[in-house]
Amino acid sequence: MKCINKITSLLLALVLCFSFVGCKSNTESIATYKMYDSSSVYGITHNGSSSNVEMFAKDLCVVGTDDLGTSAVNSQVAGAAGAFNLTDKSVVYAQSIHEKMYPASTTKIMTAYIACLYGDLDEFYTVSANAVKQDSDSSVINLKEGDVISLRDLLYGLMLRSGNDAAIAIAEGMYGDVETFVAKMNETAKSLGATNTNFVTPNGLHDENHYTTVYDMYLILNAAMQNEAFYTIFSASKYTASYTSGGSNKTAEWSTTNQYTTGKITTPSGFTVIGGKTGTTGAAGYCLVLLSENEEHDKIISIVFNADCRSNLYLLMNEILSNYCL
């Protein structure tokens, strides 16, 4: 494999034991690697720099470079995918999870996390001309220059309607410019161990230098969902925003693009979908980062990147959940 996750390689060197467990379906047996439960803090040096990233191995799902479980699903429809049981700290499905992928609008998970960590959700921002300058086919919440809107409302527009204009408004409102905000995204990603990730924009519009991996995105969402404000927004299905536009009060209603939540796609039996973020560009294909709970109340993060069409995106996600996550 060309791209081996640096943090995984380093952490695996510290493994004191690993166990092979049976796949949770009858389809096949897969190897699930677990990190030794230690309270030690491991210093990880990124790219030879002197700054160390502190990692608590006991809190992570850790896996090697081999694919797990792909023979039982239609894996050829997507570039990469993974499923992570947060309750027992195991990787239950892995398809190219350390390969570089374009995340499209799933990038907004990190954008929302940064805003929830460092922003005041009740602060109001004035929307710039730069924020509303989006291509005609761009996903937007139809902000206008001069609109005055709270960070909280921007975040719901970002995560539910995938507003690219909202992403820029958040970045500029918090840090004055996009570049400074993106630097904070990258700094935070590295601190979480997502060392195979590089963000260029807060909205995920395509750039060859804007990329992540399935495993890194798991690390990011795993951290983000510990933030109460993020979790509330991420798990919402609808929201009514109220802000000032053209000097007048305006309301807007937004619904999620996650088709499990809208009911367009039937959730596999035994699962409850908590939240998810979709993403689509020509280069990234169809992407979905999902948080769900199985009938044993195990929390599951499942990710599909670069599916060749929307129907196959949900087909593969259903197969992964049904075969490996119950």
Side-chain angles (χ1 to χ4, degrees):
M1 180 172 290
K2 294 180 180 179
C3 179
I4 299 177
N5 186 287
K6 295 177 182 177
I7 185 174
T8 303
S9 300
L10 289 166
L11 288 172
L12 287 175
L14 299 170
V15 174
L16 301 181
C17 67
F18 61 87
S19 61
F20 292 89
V21 300
C23 160
K24 293 187 178 181
S25 82
N26 295 324
T27 312
E28 63 173 325
S29 294
I30 60 174
T32 302
Y33 298 81
K34 292 185 181 180
M35 202 64 180
Y36 179 71
D37 187 4
S38 168
S39 60
S40 300
V41 180
Y42 302 109
I44 307 298
T45 301
H46 174 64
N47 289 339
S49 68
S50 59
S51 61
N52 289 336
V53 180
E54 293 183 343
M55 291 298 299
F56 289 92
K58 67 175 184 177
D59 294 328
L60 296 178
C61 304
V62 179
V63 70
T65 60
D66 293 337
D67 286 353
L68 306 175
T70 55
S71 63
V73 302
N74 196 18
S75 60
Q76 66 267 26
V77 303
F84 308 85
N85 187 311
L86 307 186
T87 302
D88 65 17
K89 307 296 187 296
S90 63
V91 181
V92 294
Y93 179 83
Q95 176 199 338
S96 302
I97 64 172
H98 302 305
E99 291 288 346
K100 183 174 79 174
M101 292 284 148
Y102 299 124
S105 285
T106 65
T107 297
K108 291 164 184 165
I109 291 172
M110 177 58 94
T111 302
Y113 182 41
I114 296 297
C116 291
L117 275 180
Y118 302 111
D120 178 356
L121 272 60
D122 293 319
E123 185 174 355
F124 283 81
Y125 299 149
T126 300
V127 178
S128 72
N130 183 53
V132 303
K133 185 181 178 182
Q134 301 290 327
D135 291 340
S136 60
D137 60 348
S138 184
S139 176
V140 295
I141 57 172
N142 295 312
L143 294 173
K144 306 298 181 186
E145 182 181 359
D147 285 355
V148 179
I149 185 170
S150 70
L151 177 56
R152 187 184 309 277
D153 283 358
L154 285 170
L155 284 169
Y156 278 102
L158 178 84
M159 297 302 286
L160 291 177
R161 291 305 309 155
S162 202
N164 292 325
D165 49 354
I168 303 301
I170 289 168
E172 293 180 337
M174 286 185 63
Y175 288 101
D177 58 75
V178 169
E179 292 74 19
T180 305
F181 185 90
V182 169
K184 180 61 72 173
M185 293 171 69
N186 285 319
E187 174 189 319
T188 304
K190 300 303 181 289
S191 75
L192 298 176
T195 58
N196 286 325
T197 290
N198 186 68
F199 296 117
V200 176
T201 71
N203 50 33
L205 291 175
H206 182 66
D207 187 292
E208 289 187 358
N209 293 315
H210 185 103
Y211 54 82
T212 189
T213 69
V214 166
Y215 188 76
D216 280 10
M217 186 57 72
Y218 145 71
L219 291 173
I220 292 167
L221 180 56
N222 183 57
M225 59 183 282
Q226 309 308 315
N227 182 283
E228 183 178 356
F230 176 90
Y231 191 89
T232 298
I233 295 167
F234 187 73
S235 58
S237 59
K238 294 182 179 180
Y239 183 77
T240 301
S242 179
Y243 59 98
T244 302
S245 182
S248 301
N249 293 331
K250 181 176 180 178
T251 60
E253 294 185 0
W254 299 316
S255 299
T256 181
T257 59
N258 177 6
Q259 293 194 357
Y260 285 121
T261 304
T262 63
K264 290 183 178 179
I265 300 294
T266 301
T267 304
S269 178
F271 287 91
T272 300
V273 170
I274 297 171
K277 184 70 195 77
T278 60
T280 309
T281 67
Y286 292 81
C287 307
L288 176 61
V289 179
L290 193 72
L291 177 65
S292 63
E293 185 176 272
N294 66 17
E295 56 192 4
E296 295 178 358
H297 303 294
D298 293 348
K299 292 286 195 306
I300 307 293
I301 290 176
S302 51
I303 300 167
V304 173
F305 279 159
N306 193 226
D308 56 10
C309 65
R310 184 173 284 107
S311 61
N312 280 340
L313 168 68
Y314 287 97
L315 168 67
L316 178 56
M317 188 67 81
N318 280 353
E319 289 181 338
I320 291 170
L321 292 174
S322 297
N323 284 324
Y324 297 108
C325 300
L326 281 173

